[in-house]
């Protein structure tokens, strides 16, 4: 039938009361083809060892395990950074923090966010005809033009940053425990550093704060309902859709939820993991009932578990970072050890992604952007370089070829934020700087610089316990290759069109539905 060019005028599509302006877009493609719906689900602070499909000892992820049985699990999948904002920025741009400008987290009072000259995945798919929705934790700027509705998302429902960055009336479980919001309008209280500020946590629907403070105990149910509503309405529009769901789980505080009847004696982390798994199951079930054969679901983590939260943190599985543990501190979240950035990941697309397959390809959150753009038949933005790969051939079972080289930016434990001083080269892992994040016992591993670097062979030592001897033939063979790829990426970044994020803060940027109240408290509707 040849190529079809179709001009479409969309009038007045409404999602949950938000009316979108006229959209004029062109669709080009083979007449027989249909572009897939895309659902990306991002877990927060979930450990590689929390997923039963990764052979975890606990069995708290029945729905994800089923998805893996019906699709593909990835056992060598990595976050783009081991903390929140940089990982999310890389997911939505396909670029490392040194390119997109996001090297550390944004705050409650941040004026800026993901630089406006960076193009998000939603901003690529929106003009290609996709309905775009985002539910959950944004954490890429909430003030002015940094809000999700101005970054390519037609619909947004969620919290603008981590849900421990504001107080609630239902604080749930944290370590140390944090108090509820003050009921009156008194002066702000002083808490331990790990506790949140006394500004109530806001819940947005599009540009409006609909609840402040949000009720964490009912948040998962709200997310499920809004996701189902978006899938229904987007499907009814006849257009393909992108739905990005960034969960609050498994970040603390873990809510004392009424949503699930937890078995007796179940620990809070287990209950939270089961609730998260149920939420993922609800989304998958809605997709299966609505547009099963046309929808690709990709689940992944944003970084490893937050070890300083003790029993409220997840499991790194076999990636224990033993070399660092002996030096002190945690080798999980905020570090470049495997436990900080190797994350669970599962892909599902009936009749397209082969069932019950385990992929050992070296993949990354960075790959989401170029892969989804390719599957959608859209084009990558021009005049910039990307660190992710189009891995659609891996997803479709046609290849096991992922990255040969992957860079792990510093994320708080040691070195300058965002700097590339740890990298993966095939089965080898190199560290030019090491350090441990805060551990459960409060210890922090000292920053140590290594030149020549520490080298580990992950095929023989996944626990990163014993580095290769510097005088060995293996070390001497790998070292020049490591230096070459690191020099090459730094040279490439220096020539690239890079961005700089604005990290300045101003109290006026704090989301507040009621400036007359010290906590920014609104009456429930």
């Amino acid at each position: 039938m040849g190529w079809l060019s179709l001009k479409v005028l969309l009038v007045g599509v409404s999602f949950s009361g938000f009316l979108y302006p006229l959209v004029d877009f062109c669709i080009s493609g083979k007449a027989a083809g249909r572009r897939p719906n895309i659902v990306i689900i991002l877990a927060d602070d979930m450990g590689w060892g929390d997923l039963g499909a990764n052979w975890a000892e606990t069995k708290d992820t029945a729905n994800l395990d089923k998805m893996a049985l019906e699709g593909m699990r990835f056992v060598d999948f990595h976050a783009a950074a081991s903390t929140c904002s940089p990982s999310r920025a890389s997911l939505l741009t396909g670029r490392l923090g040194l390119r997109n400008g996001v090297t550390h987290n944004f705050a409650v009072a941040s004026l800026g966010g993901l630089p406006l000259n960076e193009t998000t995945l939603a901003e690529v798919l929106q003009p290609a005809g996709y309905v775009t929705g985002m539910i959950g934790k944004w954490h890429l700027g909430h003030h002015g033009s940094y809000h999700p509705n101005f970054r390519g998302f037609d619909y947004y429902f969620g919290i603008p940053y981590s849900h421990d960055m504001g107080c609630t009336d239902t604080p749930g479980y944290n370590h140390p425990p944090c108090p509820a919001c003050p009921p009156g309008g008194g002066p702000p209280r002083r808490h331990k550093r790990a506790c949140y500020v006394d500004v109530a946590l806001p819940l947005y629907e599009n540009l409006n704060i609909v609840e402040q403070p949000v009720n964490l105990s009912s948040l998962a149910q709200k997310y499920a309902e809004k996701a189902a509503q978006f899938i229904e309405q987007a499907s009814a529009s006849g257009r393909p859709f992108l739905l990005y769901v960034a969960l609050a789980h498994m970040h603390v505080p873990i809510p004392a939820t009424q949503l699930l009847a937890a078995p007796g004696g179940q620990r809070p982390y287990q209950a939270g993991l089961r609730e998260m798994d149920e939420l993922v199951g609800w989304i998958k079930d809605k997709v299966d009932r609505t547009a099963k054969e046309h929808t690709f679901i990709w689940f992944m983590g944003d970084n490893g578990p937050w070890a300083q939260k003790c029993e409220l943190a997840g499991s790194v599985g076999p990636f224990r970072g033993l070399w660092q543990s002996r030096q002190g501190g945690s080798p999980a979240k905020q570090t470049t050890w495997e436990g900080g950035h190797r994350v669970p990941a599962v892909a599902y697309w009936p009749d397209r992604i082969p069932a019950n397959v385990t992929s050992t390809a070296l993949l990354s959150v960075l790959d989401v952007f170029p892969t989804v753009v390719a599957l959608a038949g859209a084009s990558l933005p021009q005049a910039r370089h990307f660190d992710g790969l189009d891995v659609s051939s891996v997803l479709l079972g046609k290849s096991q070829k992922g990255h040969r080289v992957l860079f792990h930016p510093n994320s708080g434990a040691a070195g300058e934020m965002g700097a590339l001083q740890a990298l993966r080269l095939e089965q080898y892992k190199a560290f030019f700087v090491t350090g441990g994040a805060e551990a459960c016992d409060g210890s922090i591993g000292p920053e140590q610089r290594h030149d020549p670097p520490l080298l580990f062979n992950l095929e023989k030592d996944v626990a990163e316990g014993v580095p290769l001897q510097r005088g060995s033939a293996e070390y001497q063979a790998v070292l020049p290759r490591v230096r070459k790829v690191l020099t090459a990426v730094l040279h490439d970044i220096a020539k690239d069109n890079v961005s700089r994020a604005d990290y300045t803060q101003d109290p006026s940027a704090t989301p507040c539905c009621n400036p007359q109240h010290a906590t920014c408290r609104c009456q429930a509707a």
Side-chain angles (χ1 to χ4, degrees), residues 248-401:
H249 306 75
M250 292 301 301
H251 201 293
V252 292
I254 297 174
T257 180
Q258 303 301 314
L259 193 58
L260 291 178
Q266 191 175 56
R267 293 180 292 116
Y269 191 87
Q270 288 178 293
L273 193 59
R274 287 175 180 261
E275 179 180 84
M276 183 210 70
D277 182 70
E278 286 289 334
L279 177 51
V280 173
W282 291 329
I283 294 172
K284 177 181 177 291
D285 288 347
K286 185 63 181 180
V287 165
D288 285 347
R289 292 193 303 269
T290 307
K292 181 175 182 176
E293 66 273 20
H294 302 301
T295 305
F296 165 48
I297 302 176
W298 206 352
F299 172 91
M300 64 199 69
D302 74 330
N303 51 246
W306 201 358
Q308 76 180 73
K309 297 302 178 178
C310 302
E311 75 280 1
L312 302 178
S315 167
V316 296
F319 308 106
R320 295 178 289 163
L322 294 179
W323 188 93
Q324 182 61 58
S325 296
R326 297 184 194 107
Q327 313 294 315
S330 158
K333 177 179 176 175
Q334 299 177 322
T335 79
T336 54
W337 298 95
E338 291 292 291
H341 54 74
R342 194 183 292 223
V343 293
V346 175
Y348 170 79
W349 189 2
D351 300 324
R352 298 297 303 276
I353 292 175
N356 197 21
V357 170
T358 297
S359 172
T360 58
L362 178 58
L363 303 183
S364 169
V365 166
L366 289 158
D367 303 329
V368 170
F369 185 97
T371 302
V372 169
V373 168
L375 291 173
S379 299
L380 292 173
Q382 300 299 305
R384 67 197 66 193
H385 297 176
F386 295 90
D387 299 289
L389 301 175
D390 170 10
V391 296
S392 52
S393 62
V394 177
L395 294 170
L396 301 178
K398 299 176 181 179
S399 170
Q400 278 283 359
K401 186 178 180 181

Side-chain angles (χ1 to χ4, degrees), residues 1-82:
M1 296 182 66
W3 291 92
L4 176 70
S5 294
L6 181 65
K7 190 81 167 179
V8 180
L9 182 65
L10 178 71
V11 181
V13 175
S14 175
F15 289 90
S16 301
F18 189 81
L19 187 65
Y20 304 108
L22 302 184
V23 180
D24 192 14
F25 58 89
C26 293
I27 302 174
S28 296
K30 292 184 178 179
R34 173 166 177 168
R35 292 167 302 158
N37 305 316
I38 308 292
V39 178
I40 300 165
I41 305 175
L42 187 70
D44 197 346
D45 288 5
M46 182 182 179
W48 189 96
D50 292 337
L51 183 64
N54 282 345
W55 307 283
E57 293 181 6
T58 57
K59 301 299 179 184
D60 298 314
T61 56
N63 291 287
L64 277 165
D65 296 350
K66 183 174 183 289
M67 188 189 296
L69 189 66
E70 297 171 350
M72 184 177 292
R73 67 179 66 80
F74 304 94
V75 294
D76 205 353
F77 193 97
H78 298 260
S82 59

